[in-house]
mmCIF file of all heavy atoms in Angstrom:
data_model
loop_
_atom_site.group_PDB
_atom_site.id
_atom_site.type_symbol
_atom_site.label_atom_id
_atom_site.label_comp_id
_atom_site.label_asym_id
_atom_site.label_seq_id
_atom_site.Cartn_x
_atom_site.Cartn_y
_atom_site.Cartn_z
ATOM 1 N N VAL A 193 18.859 4.465 221.134
ATOM 2 C CA VAL A 193 19.342 5.819 221.432
ATOM 3 C C VAL A 193 18.932 6.773 220.331
ATOM 4 O O VAL A 193 18.554 7.924 220.575
ATOM 5 C CB VAL A 193 20.870 5.809 221.644
ATOM 6 C CG1 VAL A 193 21.381 7.234 221.851
ATOM 7 C CG2 VAL A 193 21.259 4.932 222.823
ATOM 8 N N VAL A 196 15.400 7.788 220.840
ATOM 9 C CA VAL A 196 15.288 8.820 221.874
ATOM 10 C C VAL A 196 15.762 10.160 221.340
ATOM 11 O O VAL A 196 15.164 11.223 221.617
ATOM 12 C CB VAL A 196 16.122 8.404 223.105
ATOM 13 C CG1 VAL A 196 16.126 9.534 224.140
ATOM 14 C CG2 VAL A 196 15.590 7.127 223.717
ATOM 15 N N MET A 197 16.804 10.162 220.521
ATOM 16 C CA MET A 197 17.307 11.385 219.919
ATOM 17 C C MET A 197 16.245 12.044 219.044
ATOM 18 O O MET A 197 16.040 13.279 219.082
ATOM 19 C CB MET A 197 18.572 11.114 219.122
ATOM 20 C CG MET A 197 19.198 12.330 218.485
ATOM 21 S SD MET A 197 20.805 11.963 217.694
ATOM 22 C CE MET A 197 20.285 10.859 216.365
ATOM 23 N N THR A 200 13.384 13.420 221.377
ATOM 24 C CA THR A 200 13.771 14.656 222.047
ATOM 25 C C THR A 200 13.899 15.828 221.060
ATOM 26 O O THR A 200 13.594 16.966 221.395
ATOM 27 C CB THR A 200 15.100 14.495 222.807
ATOM 28 O OG1 THR A 200 16.121 14.042 221.898
ATOM 29 C CG2 THR A 200 14.952 13.477 223.934
ATOM 30 N N TYR A 229 18.852 21.327 225.295
ATOM 31 C CA TYR A 229 19.945 20.833 226.142
ATOM 32 C C TYR A 229 19.859 19.293 226.219
ATOM 33 O O TYR A 229 20.867 18.604 226.047
ATOM 34 C CB TYR A 229 19.852 21.446 227.539
ATOM 35 C CG TYR A 229 20.914 20.983 228.492
ATOM 36 C CD1 TYR A 229 22.125 21.636 228.597
ATOM 37 C CD2 TYR A 229 20.678 19.864 229.329
ATOM 38 C CE1 TYR A 229 23.098 21.207 229.491
ATOM 39 C CE2 TYR A 229 21.655 19.431 230.229
ATOM 40 C CZ TYR A 229 22.846 20.101 230.299
ATOM 41 O OH TYR A 229 23.824 19.676 231.159
ATOM 42 N N VAL A 230 18.651 18.776 226.474
ATOM 43 C CA VAL A 230 18.486 17.326 226.567
ATOM 44 C C VAL A 230 18.763 16.695 225.216
ATOM 45 O O VAL A 230 19.452 15.651 225.126
ATOM 46 C CB VAL A 230 17.062 16.993 227.058
ATOM 47 C CG1 VAL A 230 16.826 15.471 226.992
ATOM 48 C CG2 VAL A 230 16.848 17.498 228.492
ATOM 49 N N HIS A 231 18.235 17.295 224.181
ATOM 50 C CA HIS A 231 18.390 16.713 222.811
ATOM 51 C C HIS A 231 19.881 16.650 222.432
ATOM 52 O O HIS A 231 20.316 15.623 221.885
ATOM 53 C CB HIS A 231 17.616 17.563 221.819
ATOM 54 C CG HIS A 231 17.813 17.144 220.402
ATOM 55 N ND1 HIS A 231 17.459 15.886 219.927
ATOM 56 C CD2 HIS A 231 18.337 17.815 219.328
ATOM 57 C CE1 HIS A 231 17.746 15.790 218.651
ATOM 58 N NE2 HIS A 231 18.296 16.934 218.246
ATOM 59 N N VAL A 232 20.594 17.679 222.716
ATOM 60 C CA VAL A 232 22.027 17.705 222.365
ATOM 61 C C VAL A 232 22.778 16.645 223.128
ATOM 62 O O VAL A 232 23.686 15.984 222.592
ATOM 63 C CB VAL A 232 22.599 19.118 222.628
ATOM 64 C CG1 VAL A 232 24.123 19.090 222.509
ATOM 65 C CG2 VAL A 232 22.024 20.127 221.625
ATOM 66 N N ARG A 233 22.432 16.440 224.404
ATOM 67 C CA ARG A 233 23.141 15.426 225.186
ATOM 68 C C ARG A 233 22.858 14.008 224.683
ATOM 69 O O ARG A 233 23.744 13.170 224.623
ATOM 70 C CB ARG A 233 22.739 15.509 226.654
ATOM 71 C CG ARG A 233 23.640 16.399 227.514
ATOM 72 C CD ARG A 233 23.706 17.782 226.982
ATOM 73 N NE ARG A 233 24.689 18.638 227.648
ATOM 74 C CZ ARG A 233 24.933 19.876 227.265
ATOM 75 N NH1 ARG A 233 24.285 20.412 226.226
ATOM 76 N NH2 ARG A 233 25.849 20.602 227.888
ATOM 77 N N VAL A 234 21.607 13.779 224.292
ATOM 78 C CA VAL A 234 21.278 12.463 223.716
ATOM 79 C C VAL A 234 22.022 12.286 222.384
ATOM 80 O O VAL A 234 22.522 11.211 222.078
ATOM 81 C CB VAL A 234 19.754 12.323 223.528
ATOM 82 C CG1 VAL A 234 19.426 11.016 222.831
ATOM 83 C CG2 VAL A 234 19.061 12.402 224.851
ATOM 84 N N ALA A 235 22.060 13.367 221.590
ATOM 85 C CA ALA A 235 22.771 13.289 220.301
ATOM 86 C C ALA A 235 24.277 13.015 220.535
ATOM 87 O O ALA A 235 24.879 12.262 219.752
ATOM 88 C CB ALA A 235 22.617 14.598 219.550
ATOM 89 N N ALA A 236 24.832 13.565 221.604
ATOM 90 C CA ALA A 236 26.245 13.299 221.910
ATOM 91 C C ALA A 236 26.442 11.834 222.264
ATOM 92 O O ALA A 236 27.424 11.200 221.833
ATOM 93 C CB ALA A 236 26.699 14.197 223.044
ATOM 94 N N ALA A 237 25.528 11.277 223.060
ATOM 95 C CA ALA A 237 25.634 9.841 223.400
ATOM 96 C C ALA A 237 25.522 8.977 222.160
ATOM 97 O O ALA A 237 26.268 7.989 221.997
ATOM 98 C CB ALA A 237 24.523 9.470 224.394
ATOM 99 N N TYR A 238 24.622 9.358 221.261
ATOM 100 C CA TYR A 238 24.492 8.617 220.004
ATOM 101 C C TYR A 238 25.776 8.712 219.184
ATOM 102 O O TYR A 238 26.260 7.731 218.625
ATOM 103 C CB TYR A 238 23.313 9.175 219.189
ATOM 104 C CG TYR A 238 23.220 8.595 217.789
ATOM 105 C CD1 TYR A 238 22.568 7.385 217.568
ATOM 106 C CD2 TYR A 238 23.802 9.255 216.724
ATOM 107 C CE1 TYR A 238 22.473 6.850 216.294
ATOM 108 C CE2 TYR A 238 23.723 8.726 215.434
ATOM 109 C CZ TYR A 238 23.070 7.511 215.234
ATOM 110 O OH TYR A 238 22.987 6.988 213.971
ATOM 111 N N GLY A 239 26.340 9.928 219.121
ATOM 112 C CA GLY A 239 27.581 10.119 218.365
ATOM 113 C C GLY A 239 28.733 9.312 218.885
ATOM 114 O O GLY A 239 29.514 8.741 218.113
ATOM 115 N N ILE A 240 28.844 9.215 220.227
ATOM 116 C CA ILE A 240 29.925 8.443 220.820
ATOM 117 C C ILE A 240 29.736 6.955 220.467
ATOM 118 O O ILE A 240 30.696 6.255 220.107
ATOM 119 C CB ILE A 240 29.943 8.630 222.347
ATOM 120 C CG1 ILE A 240 30.371 10.067 222.693
ATOM 121 C CG2 ILE A 240 30.886 7.625 223.011
ATOM 122 C CD1 ILE A 240 30.231 10.411 224.143
ATOM 123 N N GLY A 241 28.518 6.490 220.556
ATOM 124 C CA GLY A 241 28.252 5.102 220.189
ATOM 125 C C GLY A 241 28.512 4.821 218.734
ATOM 126 O O GLY A 241 29.068 3.764 218.378
ATOM 127 N N LEU A 270 25.431 12.777 209.439
ATOM 128 C CA LEU A 270 25.548 13.274 210.823
ATOM 129 C C LEU A 270 26.270 14.599 210.880
ATOM 130 O O LEU A 270 25.851 15.523 211.598
ATOM 131 C CB LEU A 270 26.263 12.246 211.688
ATOM 132 C CG LEU A 270 25.464 11.027 212.100
ATOM 133 C CD1 LEU A 270 26.363 10.012 212.793
ATOM 134 C CD2 LEU A 270 24.319 11.426 213.032
ATOM 135 N N MET A 274 24.637 18.144 212.184
ATOM 136 C CA MET A 274 25.191 18.984 213.264
ATOM 137 C C MET A 274 25.342 20.412 212.810
ATOM 138 O O MET A 274 25.007 21.363 213.539
ATOM 139 C CB MET A 274 26.560 18.433 213.715
ATOM 140 C CG MET A 274 26.419 17.123 214.449
ATOM 141 S SD MET A 274 27.929 16.438 215.185
ATOM 142 C CE MET A 274 29.244 17.202 214.309
#
Side-chain angles (χ1 to χ4, degrees):
V193 176
V196 175
M197 181 173 66
T200 56
Y229 179 90
V230 173
H231 175 61
V232 169
R233 267 58 188 177
V234 176
Y238 172 85
I240 292 171
L270 283 172
M274 290 186 339

